[in-house]
Amino acid sequence: MKSPSSTISTRDRLIVALDFPTQARALALVSVLSDSVSTYKIGLQLYTAEGPGIVRAVAATGAKIFLDLKLHDIPNTVARAVAAAGELGVRMLTVHLSGGRAMLEAAVEARSPNLSLLGVTVLTSATPETLSETGVNFGIEEQVLRLAELGRKSGIDGLITSPHEVRILRERLGDQMKLFTPGVRPSWAEANDQKRFTTPNEALQSGADYLVIGRPITADPDPRAAVERLLGEIAD
Ligand code: C5P
């Protein structure tokens, strides 16, 4: 199934994960890629090391920021964190859908107009044992669909999904939610620790709107050429 969001430009479909230990290394890559990449993901490692200054610094280059903090706390605390992210200028922020409806609705209520909330269903590192040891007695796919539906009913804007769940989520949700897919590898890149990856085009053909890609770009000796190659593949 082709993504219904064909109005998204090829360039905007790519989100580069800035999985670096320091601001200096992250900004060095952003300056190399600034002509070709519109959006960067800042995750727990870089945010914990550098704080909100890293968001301001990358946003100051004109880029959009996807802040991947996977919030999961009491509704009031999550709502305040969402509001703070909006004030920082963050454009996309992740929350754990397993936080439940009250937490999700509080997050939605607190979001500023430019901020999209993205729900995390079941982490791809989870196994059936992970679910059962935390008291969830459903299979992974059933739990993913349950949480996705909870996110939709709570007003969440999009979902983070493995490339293998994109198709079923797109079929269930129609075009109501944007789907963001990590675990993507172009044929010419190393797999690294990603085990069940697909190519960028397979993910898009299955219904993904956005691709989150790190090491195939960040670990390439010529990251700019890697981005151009990837964008060329997607455009084709
Ligand atoms: O370097 P790589 O392309 O594997 O990076 C993918 C990014 O997406 C990383 O920031 C990783 O934490 C994130 N991610 C993932 N798989 C998930 C959820 C997030 O790889 N299921």
Side-chain angles (χ1 to χ4, degrees), residues 63-77:
K64 289 181 269 196
I65 308 297
F66 174 148
L67 187 59
D68 188 16
L69 298 185
K70 299 188 178 68
L71 303 177
H72 187 164
D73 208 317
I74 62 171
N76 181 59
T77 301

Side-chain angles (χ1 to χ4, degrees), residues 17 19 41 68 70 123-124 160 182-185 193-194 212-216:
D19 293 326
K41 182 170 90 72
D68 188 16
K70 299 188 178 68
L123 292 172
T124 46
I160 312 298
V184 178
R185 287 289 179 270
D193 51 2
Q194 297 285 4
V212 178
I213 301 183
R215 287 162 292 179

Side-chain angles (χ1 to χ4, degrees), residues 8-9 11-18 30 33-34 36-42 58 61-67 91-92 118 180 210-213 217:
I8 304 168
S9 71
R11 181 174 184 259
D12 281 344
R13 286 187 191 279
L14 173 63
I15 299 174
V16 175
L18 292 176
V30 169
L33 299 182
S34 62
S36 356
V37 172
S38 65
T39 312
Y40 295 93
K41 182 170 90 72
I42 294 173
V58 179
T61 69
K64 289 181 269 196
I65 308 297
F66 174 148
L67 187 59
R91 299 291 292 274
M92 293 156 234
L118 311 182
F180 293 71
Y210 297 92
L211 306 171
V212 178
I213 301 183
I217 294 164

